[in-house]
Amino acid sequence: MVTRALPYRPHNHQACVNQALDDARHICQQHNARLTPTRQRVLELIWQSHRPLGAYDVLAQLAAEGQNAAPPTVYRALDFLQQHGLVHRIASLNAFVGCAHPGKPHTGMFLICHQCGNVLELSAPAVSEAVRAAADRESFRTDEVTLEISGVCPRCQAEPADD
Amino acid sequence: MVTRALPYRPHNHQACVNQALDDARHICQQHNARLTPTRQRVLELIWQSHRPLGAYDVLAQLAAEGQNAAPPTVYRALDFLQQHGLVHRIASLNAFVGCAHPGKPHTGMFLICHQCGNVLELSAPAVSEAVRAAADRESFRTDEVTLEISGVCPRCQAEPADD
DNA sequence: GAAAAATTTGAAATACTATAACATTTTCAG
DNA sequence: CTGAAAATGTTATAGTATTTCAAATTTTTC
Ligand SMILES: [Zn+2]
Ligand SMILES: [Zn+2]
Ligand SMILES: [Zn+2]
Ligand SMILES: [Zn+2]
């Protein structure tokens, strides 16, 4: 298992980006999918930090770079990246974040710090198991799980809390 | 504990509505909050079924009844109802559903059938516990949990599945 | 009960998020 | 090369939510 940096701790983030791009190239090759320049650029923009980015934020940055971009440009790229498990959509924020465990099957659980905005994606088998069990008990067939925890990360808890 | 009807089974739904209104009156009294006519009407509209309703659906129905209503009218009422734990927002649907356990503290877990659209709100202590434990392990302070399961309810699994 | 304060509602505009529809270009297999 | 498939460009529009300021209503205080 690859150890990943904690989003809210200072770290060599360029390593995160490089890893994400490597993973993406790998996965797209496996899937016979094309990581076109736009798709790759959107992925890079999403990975510029561990904070979820809105589609229109991505759009603004693409436009600033002189790219001919309209909303569908971004949404298509994001759809593609989601489909191949490279980014996740955070429903409670209407925003997108890079997947921390691409390739591995996982049901994401997101710890969202509403102070610093960073998101940590956990894979918590015990939680997934409990969710599955609860759904089973109702004879409910689970297709997708949205699990987003909003709160305060350790780093922000320690800080003076300016607001 | 009060037993509630299962959303996707035929039941005397008027009882659900009456219960919800009774609960609302009770809770608002306890909170020294005013269940004004608009707020009550919005709650009734939300409770017209166990399917989440979009804010603009509520708006359309209010308008059809001749009420002078604009988007803020509805969003204000929904905010109020959420604040007092009478309705929940389903982030993955941008829609609102009546709370099945008003008054009792609970972290909702929603089983959303994407075939019939009905939502069952579970209180699953084992899941809540697992979520809390996973967050604790990361020293993350949990404020809000969004847990939405999309899938197929027992009734729709049994049916021929027309689509 | 009247005046002041607080809460709620009305109304218009606007911001933000996402998709539809169709034309054009690029890629790739045969 | 050529035709089919995939990806992108472009314009318009749909859907969701908030900002702002004014007016009305309810509650509190005197
Ligand atoms: Zn990083
Ligand atoms: Zn933080
Ligand atoms: Zn019912
Ligand atoms: Zn169903």
Side-chain angles (χ1 to χ4, degrees):
Chain A
M1 171 185 175
V2 182
T3 310
R4 302 245 178 196
L6 287 176
Y8 41 79
R9 298 265 290 174
H11 62 279
N12 175 10
H13 183 62
Q14 190 56 48
C16 297
V17 176
N18 293 338
Q19 176 76 53
L21 287 176
D22 272 6
D23 287 346
R25 281 187 272 266
H26 225 231
I27 287 169
C28 286
Q29 199 159 26
Q30 284 182 343
H31 294 195
N32 250 318
R34 291 162 52 199
L35 189 62
T36 63
T38 299
R39 289 166 176 174
Q40 173 166 337
R41 187 69 191 120
V42 169
L43 184 60
E44 287 171 0
L45 289 171
I46 289 294
W47 268 104
Q48 74 194 252
S49 79
H50 294 271
R51 286 171 235 251
L53 210 57
Y56 278 76
D57 296 326
V58 174
L59 179 59
Q61 297 197 36
L62 282 183
E65 293 170 0
Q67 178 160 346
N68 244 344
T73 309
V74 172
Y75 281 102
R76 282 168 182 155
L78 289 171
D79 283 350
F80 173 89
L81 295 169
Q82 273 183 98
Q83 228 127 44
H84 295 280
L86 300 170
V87 308
H88 293 290
R89 181 170 188 276
I90 307 294
S92 57
L93 299 177
N94 294 330
F96 301 82
V97 73
C99 174
H101 316 286
K104 288 96 193 159
H106 63 286
T107 51
M109 164 172 173
F110 300 94
L111 302 186
I112 306 165
C113 177
H114 54 65
Q115 196 139 341
C116 67
N118 284 305
V119 168
L120 171 62
E121 179 181 357
L122 288 183
S123 70
V127 174
S128 307
E129 200 35 61
V131 167
R132 179 190 327 284
D136 276 359
R137 215 174 308 121
E138 299 291 333
S139 304
F140 190 90
R141 177 164 69 72
T142 295
D143 290 337
E144 277 186 56
V145 176
T146 299
L147 179 44
E148 300 168 7
I149 319 288
S150 178
V152 182
C153 75
R155 190 185 174 83
C156 289
Q157 286 174 55
E159 272 180 18
D162 297 341
D163 55 342
Chain B
M1 173 184 175
V2 182
T3 310
R4 304 246 177 195
L6 286 176
Y8 42 79
R9 298 263 290 174
H11 63 279
N12 175 11
H13 183 62
Q14 189 57 49
C16 296
V17 177
N18 293 338
Q19 178 75 54
L21 287 176
D22 271 7
D23 288 347
R25 281 187 272 266
H26 226 232
I27 286 169
C28 286
Q29 198 159 26
Q30 283 181 343
H31 294 196
N32 251 317
R34 292 160 53 197
L35 190 61
T36 62
T38 299
R39 289 166 176 173
Q40 173 166 337
R41 187 68 192 120
V42 169
L43 184 60
E44 287 171 2
L45 289 171
I46 289 294
W47 268 105
Q48 74 195 251
S49 80
H50 293 271
R51 284 171 237 251
L53 210 57
Y56 278 75
D57 297 326
V58 174
L59 179 58
Q61 298 197 35
L62 282 184
E65 292 171 0
Q67 179 162 346
N68 247 343
T73 308
V74 172
Y75 282 102
R76 282 167 181 156
L78 289 171
D79 283 349
F80 172 89
L81 295 169
Q82 274 183 96
Q83 229 130 44
H84 295 281
L86 299 170
V87 308
H88 293 289
R89 179 169 190 276
I90 308 294
S92 58
L93 299 177
N94 295 330
F96 301 82
V97 72
C99 173
H101 315 286
K104 287 96 194 160
H106 63 287
T107 51
M109 163 170 173
F110 301 93
L111 302 185
I112 306 165
C113 177
H114 54 66
Q115 197 139 342
C116 67
N118 284 305
V119 168
L120 172 60
E121 178 181 356
L122 288 183
S123 69
V127 174
S128 307
E129 200 36 60
V131 167
R132 178 191 327 285
D136 275 0
R137 214 173 310 120
E138 299 290 334
S139 305
F140 189 91
R141 177 163 69 73
T142 296
D143 289 338
E144 278 185 53
V145 176
T146 299
L147 179 45
E148 300 169 7
I149 320 289
S150 179
V152 182
C153 75
R155 190 186 175 82
C156 289
Q157 286 174 54
E159 273 179 15
D162 298 340
D163 55 344

